[in-house]
């Protein structure tokens, strides 16, 4: 084993020992460390100052009880979290996830990834993530409101417009952000941009709702353009049917591709005729208002069929995983490749298992890791913060232009650090480009 491989192995053993049982966190660190160790092999200052060792330790983890009362009058208890991972380049920034699968490992992987992602955007934002094991599914609006209010009673002491600015993620959309913001404002008696993803009436930004899905498609468009290709006429398989997935479909349609799948935790629909604007509006209403299951699409549109499982067996040119972590296994990746998939842009965070990533990398397809591909969401969150601080509101056209420019800049940073002899390694490029800014800021601070 060479020296770099040996350091990497020792480092990962240490991470596993210090964070027992945190499978998702180990996975995220391992993916990053495998590309950073070779990069810093000839840069002793990063070793001497223990930069990577310090980067894998969150600045702070807050865990708290969230009691709330359901509509029947029963007292219920959830666990709330905020993982403030790294504020070297700006205030903590990252979403809140409400899902029964939320635990410390999941939020630490998300906060760690967020630190690199936010660095890639070029904006001054540190990394954080939070949330709860609360399940909004099947709850009434009043129950969700009472939960959000109780969650904010504790969270408010740890956040602030220059300290930590949460936003949405799985299970936290416009409704939840409204309840959370209303409670913060009431407790603090201050109207500030402490959350992003706000409604337009109270300081939200144009394009923020669309930004993650649009950005993941812009990133794919940039990778294709780099090889002289485009999205025109491409068949695209998409997972999820929430915020990221639906706006990815919209942008695929704008750019001449054909989106043929959507999914949720009950299964996926396949519509070979394509999910056009009318069908998409129906899905958005189903998910945001009626809060139904994706299978209902196949009852409404006879061109579609519903299936259990994930959509990766449907032949496609491009795959956009936009649901959740580890939704593409090694076997799924091999199926995609066998069916001719030439590009993957990760709308979700860490949707591909490590062995699946290896399969994509080995095949040298256009593979965009989540921290680069889905950075458009937090980038527009950063622009929402700027607008709030300046008390102004930019136009949709200006913000879409800034989003496009940001995704192109991130693409070009990945190329700058990931160019290999005959292809671009976007994974290494994203990790190294994200690492440098945070690491160099940490060097400036000494051992803080
Ligand atoms: P939403 O809550 O709007 O939608 C989530 C979608 O994924 C739903 O269709 C949901 O199905 C599905 N899903 C969630 N968990 C699972 C699971 N365990 N198995 C199968 N399907 C699942 O979330 P978002 O669209 O906001 O987030 C999707 C992904 O994108 C996440 O990985 C998130 O971290 C990432 N992301 C989000 C950003 C944002 O701005 N919102 C920014 C960057 C990344 P069901 O309803 O059945 O649970
Ligand atoms: O994973 C993510 O980047 C998000 N959920 C968005 C974070 C944000 O602060 O907008």
């Amino acid at each position: 084993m060479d020296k770099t491989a040996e350091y990497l192995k020792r480092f990962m053993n240490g991470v596993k020992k210090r964070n027992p049982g945190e499978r998702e966190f180990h996975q995220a660190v391992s993916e990053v460390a495998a590309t950073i160790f070779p990069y810093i092999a000839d840069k002793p200052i990063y070793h001497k100052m223990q930069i990577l060792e310090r980067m894998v330790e969150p600045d702070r983890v807050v865990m708290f009880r969230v009691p709330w009362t359901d509509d029947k009058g029963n007292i219920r208890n959830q666990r709330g979290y905020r993982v403030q991972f790294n504020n070297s380049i700006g205030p903590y920034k990252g979403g809140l996830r409400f899902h029964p699968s939320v635990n410390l490992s999941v939020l630490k992987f998300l906060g760690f990834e967020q630190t690199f992602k936010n660095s890639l955007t070029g904006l001054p934002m540190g990394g954080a993530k939070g949330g709860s094991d609360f399940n909004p599914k099947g709850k009434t609006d009043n129950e969700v409101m009472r939960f959000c209010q109780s969650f904010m009673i504790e969270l408010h002491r740890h956040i602030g417009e220059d300290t930590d600015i949460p936003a949405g993620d799985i299970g936290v959309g416009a409704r939840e952000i409204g309840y959370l913001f209303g409670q913060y404002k009431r407790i603090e008696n201050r109207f500030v941009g402490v959350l992003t993803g706000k409604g337009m009436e109270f300081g939200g930004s144009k394009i923020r709702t669309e930004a993650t899905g649009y950005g993941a498609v812009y990133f794919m468009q940039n990778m294709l353009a780099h090889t002289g290709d485009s999205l025109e006429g491409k068949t695209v398989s998409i997972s999820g049917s929430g915020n990221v997935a639906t706006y990815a479909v919209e942008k695929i349609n704008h750019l001449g591709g054909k989106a043929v799948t959507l999914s949720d935790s009950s299964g996926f629909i396949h519509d070979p005729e394509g999910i056009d604007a009318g069908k998409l509006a129906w899905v958005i209403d189903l998910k945001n208002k009626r809060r139904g299951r994706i299978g209902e699409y196949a009852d409404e549109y006879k061109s579609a069929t519903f299936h259990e499982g994930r959509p990766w067996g449907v032949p496609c040119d491009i795959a956009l995983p936009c649901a959740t972590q580890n939704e593409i296994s090694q076997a799924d990746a091999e199926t995609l490749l066998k069916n001719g998939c030439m590009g993957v842009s990760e709308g979700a965070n860490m949707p591909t298992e490590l062995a699946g990533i290896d399969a994509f990398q080995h095949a040298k397809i256009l593979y965009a890791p989540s921290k680069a591909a889905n950075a458009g969401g937090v980038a527009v969150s950063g622009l929402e913060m700027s607008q709030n601080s300046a008390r102004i509101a930019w136009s949709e056209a200006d913000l879409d232009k800034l989003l496009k420019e940001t995704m192109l800049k991130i693409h070009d940073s990945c190329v700058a650090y990931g160019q290999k002899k005959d292809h671009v390694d976007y994974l290494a490029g994203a990790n190294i480009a994200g690492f440098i800014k945070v690491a160099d800021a940490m060097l400036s601070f000494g051992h803080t």
Side-chain angles (χ1 to χ4, degrees):
M1 198 186 288
D2 70 17
K3 225 167 158 192
T4 303
E6 205 178 299
Y7 281 149
L8 175 61
K9 191 165 170 229
R10 210 182 315 149
F11 171 79
M12 279 313 304
N13 283 341
V15 168
K16 286 177 186 161
K17 211 166 146 200
R18 282 172 74 82
N19 304 279
E22 297 182 358
R23 193 172 58 85
E24 293 84 359
F25 181 57
H26 302 166
Q27 180 183 342
V29 173
S30 157
E31 183 234 276
V32 167
T35 58
I36 299 300
F37 269 89
Y39 173 72
I40 62 174
D42 59 352
K43 300 175 182 65
I45 186 72
Y46 294 123
H47 295 284
K48 180 167 168 260
M49 294 303 286
Q50 296 273 295
I51 293 294
L52 208 50
E53 286 77 1
R54 285 195 276 144
M55 266 189 189
V56 297
E57 201 61 44
D59 289 352
R60 186 174 301 103
V61 175
V62 186
M63 281 172 67
F64 50 95
R65 182 178 62 246
V66 189
W68 59 284
T69 307
D70 68 22
D71 285 350
K72 295 195 182 99
N74 302 310
I75 296 175
R76 312 276 290 263
N77 267 307
Q78 247 67 48
R79 184 172 289 173
Y81 305 81
R82 188 68 180 166
V83 178
Q84 298 181 329
F85 224 102
N86 190 307
N87 69 350
S88 297
I89 63 168
Y92 301 110
K93 180 86 194 89
L96 295 171
R97 177 176 291 192
F98 292 170
H99 193 273
S101 64
V102 163
N103 59 36
L104 193 55
S105 170
V106 167
L107 295 180
K108 279 172 68 179
F109 113 65
L110 287 163
F112 179 72
E113 287 276 302
Q114 196 82 44
T115 304
F116 289 76
K117 183 194 311 193
N118 293 3
S119 164
L120 281 171
T121 66
L123 296 172
M125 300 183 289
K129 204 83 188 191
S132 173
D133 56 2
F134 175 72
N135 184 2
K137 230 173 272 156
K139 305 289 190 300
T140 63
D141 287 352
N142 271 326
E143 288 176 325
V144 172
M145 180 184 73
R146 284 196 295 274
F147 174 78
C148 287
Q149 291 179 339
S150 180
F151 185 81
M152 188 52 89
I153 284 177
E154 176 60 35
L155 187 71
H156 88 99
R157 355 170 174 271
H158 309 289
I159 63 177
E161 70 278 23
D162 295 319
T163 313
D164 183 355
I165 304 92
D169 194 81
I170 292 176
V172 178
R175 175 182 60 171
E176 290 74 18
I177 293 290
Y179 294 149
L180 290 164
F181 186 80
Q183 183 75 340
Y184 181 89
K185 183 170 67 56
R186 191 170 173 215
I187 297 171
E188 294 255 334
N189 191 24
R190 290 187 320 127
F191 193 112
V192 289
V194 70
L195 294 166
T196 60
K198 298 184 291 301
M200 283 311 140
E201 307 77 16
F202 52 96
S205 173
K206 296 262 172 60
I207 294 285
R208 176 61 190 89
T209 310
E210 296 87 348
T212 312
Y214 278 17
V217 175
Y218 289 148
F219 201 93
M220 178 52 70
Q221 187 186 28
N222 293 331
M223 291 197 297
L224 287 165
H226 196 65
T227 63
D229 203 347
S230 81
L231 276 164
E232 187 72 43
K234 298 276 191 298
T235 298
V236 184
S237 198
I238 300 179
S239 64
S241 49
N243 172 262
V244 181
T246 48
Y247 290 99
V249 172
E250 184 164 280
K251 190 47 72 180
I252 288 292
N253 289 341
H254 291 168
L255 296 175
K258 181 161 81 166
V260 294
T261 67
L262 281 172
S263 74
D264 64 18
S265 52
S266 61
F268 71 93
I269 56 100
H270 178 207
D271 186 345
E273 289 179 10
I275 302 160
D276 62 22
K279 293 170 180 173
L280 184 62
W282 185 91
V283 172
I284 291 175
D285 189 72
L286 173 79
K287 286 293 170 182
N288 291 349
K289 297 226 172 76
R290 288 173 283 143
R291 300 194 184 266
R293 310 306 292 151
I294 198 65
E296 295 171 43
Y297 182 105
D299 303 327
E300 182 73 14
Y301 299 107
K302 293 303 163 209
S303 51
T305 47
F306 174 74
H307 310 264
E308 282 182 1
R310 304 189 284 230
W312 312 126
V314 173
C316 63
D317 302 307
I318 303 291
L320 304 178
C322 296
T324 192
Q325 64 270 10
N326 292 328
E327 54 166 322
I328 299 183
S329 64
Q330 180 178 7
D332 293 328
E334 281 162 4
T335 303
L336 283 164
L337 292 169
K338 183 165 62 69
N339 287 336
C341 176
M342 54 176 300
V344 176
S345 180
E346 295 183 336
N349 284 306
M350 203 171 76
T352 312
E353 288 180 359
L354 289 175
I357 297 178
D358 286 345
F360 293 147
Q361 296 278 80
H362 185 70
K364 295 185 184 167
I365 63 163
L366 300 174
Y367 165 69
S370 49
K371 60 175 74 68
N374 73 31
V378 74
V380 176
S381 277
L383 300 175
E384 182 172 332
M385 288 161 61
S386 304
Q387 293 171 82
N388 292 164
S389 297
R391 289 174 166 63
I392 52 173
W394 295 329
S395 72
E396 183 171 331
D398 284 345
L399 284 155
D400 193 33
K401 185 163 168 278
L402 286 168
L403 173 62
K404 275 191 193 136
E405 286 169 4
T406 303
M407 297 317 292
L408 184 58
K409 253 195 289 182
I410 297 174
H411 173 271
D412 293 351
S413 303
C414 292
V415 174
Y417 291 98
Q419 183 69 57
K420 297 281 146 70
K421 216 160 63 201
D422 59 349
H423 76 294
V424 178
D425 179 346
Y426 285 93
L427 179 77
N431 287 341
I432 296 167
F435 169 82
I436 290 173
K437 191 171 161 191
V438 179
D440 289 353
M442 288 172 74
L443 286 181
S444 307
F445 303 147
H447 54 74
T448 54

